[in-house]
Amino acid sequence: VYITTTHVCTLIIFITIIALAIAARRSVLKKRDVPSKFATGVELAISTLDSFVHGAMGKAGKKYINYIGTLFLFVIFSNISGLFGLRPPTADYGTTLCIALVSFVMIQYAAIRYQKWGAFKSLFEPIFLFFPINVISEFATPISLSLRLFGNVMAGTVMMALYYGMLPIFFKFGIPSALHVYFDLFSGAIQAYVFCMLTMTFVADKRNVEG
């Protein structure tokens, strides 16, 4: 068993998310006349997440809000961890493939549960000859999800490593902050949003959810 940088950084992110979750729960449940700024921020974040999920999945969003919220937090914390000197776990394909496979299992479960035999019947539509193509398209889902996230995060990580490794020391002050804001913060947030949105879209499509 090899302990790599990805394992260490992932553990740090897990601990951070758990600590924030515990602090958020205590802050929201604590009785006070005026809610603290932290509690207000937590409630705003939950309300935004609720609108985000229900907007994409309709009434079915209630069943998936916990998963999507956890997924979003892990991906965005992983993506922006480069701001704090860590190597983003999502810059390792093993990480992105694992979370993509979890989403893939959820997508297929939704298809089988709500479409029954129709989930298998659709593989032969519009005609039997399309079966291989339909199977490939189904298994392409986790590959495309994982590669999209991995490629974007890895590209930013490599760009920053090249910048720090090739330029003189006096260019390493000030300028990198703007690059970190783009590659880690902006791009990281966009990729987390895209990953979660695609997951919800695929699940909603398998459930045949409208509105």
Side-chain angles (χ1 to χ4, degrees):
V1 177
Y2 296 94
I3 303 299
T4 66
T5 304
T6 299
H7 294 122
V8 175
C9 294
T10 301
L11 179 60
I12 293 174
I13 291 170
F14 281 162
I15 294 173
T16 302
I17 293 176
I18 291 172
L20 286 175
I22 293 174
R25 184 178 185 277
R26 289 182 176 179
S27 180
V28 171
L29 294 180
K30 189 174 183 179
K31 296 180 180 180
R32 62 182 75 186
D33 295 332
V34 180
S36 64
K37 293 182 179 179
F38 182 63
T40 303
V42 170
E43 292 179 0
L44 178 61
I46 294 174
S47 176
T48 302
L49 175 65
D50 184 73
S51 300
F52 172 56
V53 176
H54 281 84
M57 303 186 71
K59 296 179 180 179
K62 183 178 181 180
K63 296 182 178 181
Y64 298 94
I65 189 169
N66 290 333
Y67 172 71
I68 297 299
T70 303
L71 179 65
F72 183 80
L73 282 176
F74 174 72
V75 174
I76 196 169
F77 270 69
S78 296
N79 291 351
I80 67 174
S81 61
L83 290 171
F84 306 97
L86 301 177
R87 185 180 186 276
T90 42
D92 188 322
Y93 187 62
T95 300
T96 60
L97 179 60
C98 285
I99 57 177
L101 287 175
V102 173
S103 292
F104 176 70
V105 170
M106 181 172 291
I107 293 167
Q108 297 306 314
Y109 173 76
I112 295 172
R113 179 177 180 182
Y114 295 97
Q115 296 182 26
K116 303 296 189 282
W117 287 105
F120 300 98
K121 182 181 177 181
S122 63
L123 296 175
F124 298 92
E125 296 176 349
I127 59 176
F128 180 82
L129 294 177
F130 278 78
F131 175 74
I133 297 176
N134 290 332
V135 171
I136 292 173
S137 74
E138 289 293 331
F139 282 96
T141 298
I143 303 299
S144 63
L145 282 174
S146 58
L147 284 177
R148 182 184 293 107
L149 179 58
F150 165 72
N152 282 278
V153 177
M154 187 62 180
T157 302
V158 171
M159 290 292 292
M160 294 307 302
L162 290 173
Y163 181 88
Y164 282 115
M166 297 177 64
L167 295 181
I169 190 170
F170 51 83
F171 281 110
K172 298 180 181 180
F173 299 96
I175 298 178
S177 60
L179 296 177
H180 276 296
V181 167
Y182 176 78
F183 287 118
D184 294 328
L185 188 58
F186 177 74
S187 180
I190 291 295
Q191 292 308 314
Y193 172 83
V194 170
F195 193 97
C196 292
M197 178 58 75
L198 288 175
T199 298
M200 291 188 293
T201 301
F202 289 135
V203 172
D205 180 64
K206 295 299 183 181
R207 287 174 54 100
N208 292 321
V209 174
E210 298 180 1

